[in-house]
Amino acid sequence: NTGWLNGVTTFDLVLISKHILGVQLLGSPYKMIAADANKTGFVTTRDIVLLRMLILNIIPKISSEYINPNTDNPNTSWRFIPASYVFPDPANPWAENFPECINVDMTNQTEALDQDFIAIKVGDVNLSAVTGCGNMPPFSGGAWDRAAEIVQLHCAAGRAVAGQSIVASFYVESPADLVAWQVGLNFDTDYLELETTGPGSLDFMTPGNFGLTEKEEGKLRVLWYAEDARAIPFSRPREAFRMKFKVKRSFDKWVDVLHLDEEVLLNAAWEESGQAHRPSLAFRAEPFDDVEAQPREASVTAVPNPFTDQLTIRVVLPTDEWIAIEIFDATGRRLANWEGETTDGAAEVNLDTRNWSKGTLTYRVLTAHQ
């Protein structure tokens, strides 16, 4: 029950999204069990939320204290099913309680021979975990060499003077269309203090894509994936996110104080085919000209739609405002409401829908102006 992040990457979130959306099913009962992070017997968007939190180090493991403290059946990092077991319905591995142990009579030595298990790494649906059983690590050697550094992470920030607050804008550029990427950043806390982070104009980039639990140690985790599971072009630099720093000591070269760090998080990007690339970090003094940086239009999105036990309402506004979100059933009864202020013109509200009535629902967002 260790190594929770072994084999678990943002590309797994894409594959699980494809399964939920019906775009491409996982096609294996073992992969479906791996995708069931909260061990409910279903694959839902809640599993994606938990795995995203795991990758970002918001939670250290997926145990009962982060799911349901009252359960006596928490998940573990690995699960083992006897190799001899045959699922009665491979499309629904939870149709019956499958065994996870083998009982043998130790007084009969022949009974204990030739027993075997199928090992399942929870969260790893593309089988990239390093098992220690002779498989090559998925991001080493020739695999990286063939895909090295065609994905560029650009940091645009000027000269840093002590006492100032400075915004560093990060852009992603790649000749290949990408469906997911993740990076671990390390900044020198003797020179910089992280004040805020915020999404850029990149589609599906939200405040929930940042892992800030170790920002005081200079460690930041950022991920992105196309929630509709469709790769998008990065042939021109697309603004992914921004970081606002307070400069504690002046410096001239950002490369001396900020870098990618594999020990913080595996730095990788993926095409829709699963081809992995290693991102590199480059610095420039000025931001890119970005047509998407024009004033944003107000928009509201509900994902996923349809949903099961979890719904996220995302709001984007031209400027920060106090907002109210309301959800109604077909009879007009209000099922949920939330109030708060946007940050950098955006808000992401996660709602537990398990007790909501079924059917077509209506949502609305109110601001001070409309």
Side-chain angles (χ1 to χ4, degrees):
N1 194 27
T2 60
W4 275 91
L5 206 55
N6 182 10
V8 182
T9 67
T10 308
F11 187 63
D12 291 303
L13 307 187
V14 174
L15 297 179
I16 297 172
S17 294
K18 286 186 174 184
H19 178 84
I20 294 172
L21 295 171
V23 175
Q24 180 181 334
L25 300 181
L26 291 171
S28 159
Y30 304 106
K31 290 183 179 181
M32 294 174 66
I33 293 169
D36 180 21
N38 58 358
K39 205 177 179 183
T40 58
F42 303 94
V43 180
T44 69
T45 52
R46 179 59 179 166
D47 298 306
I48 294 177
V49 171
L50 288 170
L51 292 172
R52 181 174 67 175
M53 294 171 68
L54 181 69
I55 295 169
L56 294 173
N57 199 42
I58 297 172
I59 59 175
K61 57 184 178 180
I62 303 174
S63 60
S64 56
E65 61 187 296
Y66 303 105
I67 303 171
N68 180 5
N70 299 318
T71 184
D72 58 357
N73 190 31
N75 213 343
T76 50
S77 181
W78 288 87
R79 300 180 71 175
F80 298 89
I81 298 177
S84 60
Y85 177 74
V86 177
F87 290 94
D89 182 3
N92 179 17
W94 306 280
E96 69 175 26
N97 292 328
F98 49 80
E100 297 191 66
C101 66
I102 298 174
N103 296 309
V104 297
D105 180 1
M106 295 305 294
T107 63
N108 182 353
Q109 293 187 9
T110 59
E111 185 178 329
L113 297 176
D114 300 321
Q115 301 289 355
D116 201 1
F117 290 91
I118 300 295
I120 300 171
K121 177 64 189 74
V122 170
D124 174 24
V125 297
N126 71 335
L127 310 182
S128 62
V130 179
T131 65
C133 298
N135 70 320
M136 287 295 293
F139 301 106
S140 64
W144 271 132
D145 294 339
R146 291 190 300 271
E149 299 188 353
I150 75 164
V151 177
Q152 190 91 60
L153 180 66
H154 298 277
C155 174
R159 185 173 181 271
V161 178
Q164 290 184 344
S165 289
I166 189 168
V167 174
S169 298
F170 292 81
Y171 298 77
V172 176
E173 182 181 19
S174 171
D177 292 356
L178 301 177
V179 73
W181 49 260
Q182 62 182 49
V183 293
L185 290 164
N186 195 315
F187 59 90
D188 192 331
T189 56
D190 288 336
Y191 289 85
L192 295 171
E193 177 185 336
L194 182 61
E195 294 185 326
T196 62
T197 60
S201 56
L202 179 61
D203 296 343
F204 306 114
M205 196 68 193
T206 74
N209 288 19
F210 298 88
L212 305 173
T213 53
E214 295 185 296
K215 70 174 186 177
E216 303 301 327
E217 291 78 44
K219 299 176 183 179
L220 176 71
R221 297 163 180 87
V222 188
L223 63 77
W224 171 89
Y225 69 100
E227 295 182 6
D228 59 2
R230 298 178 181 177
I232 68 173
F234 286 84
S235 54
R236 65 175 180 81
R238 301 175 68 108
E239 187 190 22
F241 60 96
R242 296 181 292 273
M243 299 165 62
K244 183 179 180 182
F245 292 104
K246 179 179 180 180
V247 181
K248 298 164 71 174
R249 295 171 58 185
S250 300
F251 61 90
D252 293 320
K253 296 180 180 180
W254 279 85
V255 68
D256 294 333
V257 299
L258 176 67
H259 61 273
L260 296 177
D261 191 338
E262 294 282 327
E263 294 186 2
V264 175
L265 182 65
L266 171 73
N267 293 289
W270 292 268
E271 300 179 40
E272 192 169 351
S273 65
Q275 173 64 59
H277 301 283
R278 180 197 295 273
S280 60
L281 178 60
F283 296 90
R284 52 184 289 127
E286 299 293 335
F288 289 92
D289 292 330
D290 190 350
V291 296
E292 296 182 9
Q294 301 301 318
R296 294 178 292 186
E297 295 183 1
S299 66
V300 181
T301 309
V303 292
N305 190 5
F307 59 88
T308 50
D309 59 354
Q310 185 85 12
L311 176 66
T312 300
I313 305 294
R314 292 185 180 139
V315 181
V316 175
L317 298 173
T319 59
D320 281 326
E321 290 195 47
W322 190 267
I323 62 172
I325 298 174
E326 299 176 316
I327 313 290
F328 302 91
D329 65 14
T331 68
R333 181 169 63 97
R334 190 169 70 177
L335 300 176
N337 68 288
W338 179 91
E339 293 186 7
E341 190 172 6
T342 60
T343 302
D344 290 332
E348 180 177 287
V349 179
N350 297 312
L351 301 169
D352 185 340
T353 67
R354 285 173 291 186
N355 295 323
W356 290 9
S357 56
K358 299 184 182 300
T360 302
L361 307 180
T362 302
Y363 64 94
R364 70 179 180 185
V365 176
L366 304 176
T367 69
H369 302 94
Q370 58 181 340

